[in-house]
Amino acid sequence: MSFGNLLEAFLLGLLEGVTEFLPVSSTGHILLAGHFLGFESTGKTFEVLIQLGAILAIITVYFQRFWHVLVTLPSSKRSQNFVLGILIAFLPAAVIGALAHDFIKTVLFESPALICVMLILGGIVLLWVDTLTFKPRHTDAMALPPFLAFKIGLAQCLAMVPGVSRSGSTIVGGMLMGLSKPAAAEFSFFLALPTMGGAFAYDLFKSRHDLSMDDGLLIVVGFVTAFIAAVVVVRGLLAFVSRHGLTPFGWWRIAVGGIGLVALALVG
């Protein structure tokens, strides 16, 4: 393993941390960057496992709230409803992700042109959503009805296609179902914990016999970088979305997808 490999792991970890909770598809960005950098990880495991850094970022930023939920869970209906909603929203991704894991990793993850197209289409959706006028019925991400949480979980499953964006599908889905922008973004943060944690554990189990010490070092570098970057993004995202909406992210997606398609046409 060379210094160049470590630098690539650092850059991809930075990209993961910056984009994971933005509606721009962190997986799509990492896979495209890895493709053009020539970065190859064992079974595309690096791209999934460094998400642990982003998971820990959410726990760090929202630690006090999670701790409050934990200690009040036996007696508080609000805390019980929150945990139930997150678990219900997680179920669709857990089932579909386990059934389609091999197809996602060996087919969809290996299709950079598909990723570019989905980035562009998702960008157009974000631009369209920002033109709509919403009258939010739900402003508290911790008090959603269980069936509404389940529908947001179904929307999250769209992100199994790289380039769609897990946070994008849950934020847009939540807004279309009556959540305010901040509540939709916050629920997306909370739902990331079981979703990304489950993907991390499942992928680590599936690849446990294939990973080497070199893979481990690259993953650690990417993980630490992703953690630091994600903490910064999570702390500022809610305020940014409240002020500027989703339009900046829509144009970002279209620009990256368009540049990616041009680059693929030129260099493959």
Side-chain angles (χ1 to χ4, degrees):
M1 180 176 52
S2 66
F3 173 77
N5 295 133
L6 292 174
L7 179 60
E8 289 171 348
F10 169 80
L11 293 174
L12 293 175
L14 180 63
L15 191 59
E16 159 65 25
V18 169
T19 60
E20 178 58 52
F21 299 107
L22 303 181
V24 298
S25 180
S26 62
T27 302
H29 279 67
I30 291 173
L31 290 174
L32 284 179
H35 174 80
F36 290 116
L37 288 172
F39 182 86
E40 291 289 339
S41 68
T42 303
K44 295 293 182 184
T45 298
F46 172 90
E47 291 82 352
V48 175
L49 297 189
I50 64 170
Q51 292 181 348
L52 179 62
I55 298 171
L56 294 183
I58 286 290
I59 295 175
T60 300
V61 173
Y62 285 97
F63 178 78
Q64 289 186 332
R65 188 178 302 190
F66 289 135
W67 180 253
H68 175 75
V69 169
L70 180 63
V71 299
T72 61
L73 187 59
S75 58
S76 170
K77 289 186 177 180
R78 174 178 166 81
S79 295
Q80 293 166 1
N81 182 81
F82 169 66
V83 172
L84 178 63
I86 292 298
L87 292 177
I88 288 174
F90 166 63
L91 280 177
V95 174
I96 297 175
L99 294 175
H101 177 269
D102 291 342
F103 175 76
I104 294 169
K105 292 291 291 293
T106 60
V107 178
L108 299 182
F109 272 33
E110 300 290 348
S111 306
L114 171 65
I115 294 171
C116 292
V117 170
M118 297 312 299
L119 284 171
I120 294 171
L121 293 178
I124 293 172
V125 170
L126 293 186
L127 296 179
W128 168 70
V129 167
D130 246 9
T131 66
L132 303 178
T133 300
F134 293 97
K135 294 183 179 179
R137 301 186 303 276
H138 305 278
T139 58
D140 185 354
M142 295 185 64
L144 302 185
F147 186 61
L148 175 58
F150 177 74
K151 290 192 292 183
I152 296 174
L154 290 177
Q156 178 178 242
C157 293
L158 296 173
M160 292 182 188
V161 179
V164 170
S165 171
R166 189 203 62 79
S167 59
S169 60
T170 51
I171 291 173
V172 170
M175 290 173 59
L176 293 175
M177 296 173 199
L179 274 68
S180 65
K181 287 179 183 177
E186 199 167 49
F187 189 79
S188 177
F189 290 164
F190 297 149
L191 184 54
L193 285 180
T195 302
M196 295 165 60
F200 172 90
Y202 189 74
D203 210 83
L204 182 61
F205 174 77
K206 294 276 286 186
S207 305
R208 66 192 185 282
H209 298 305
D210 301 322
L211 297 175
S212 66
M213 289 299 295
D214 285 350
D215 293 317
L217 181 57
L218 293 176
I219 290 168
V220 168
V221 171
F223 153 75
V224 172
T225 308
F227 168 75
I228 296 172
V231 167
V232 175
V233 170
V234 170
R235 290 187 183 278
L237 181 59
L238 291 180
F240 184 91
V241 170
S242 296
R243 289 196 305 268
H244 304 288
L246 301 174
T247 295
F249 304 117
W251 287 118
W252 174 343
R253 292 177 61 107
I254 292 170
V256 172
I259 292 170
L261 288 177
V262 171
L264 287 172
L266 294 176
V267 301

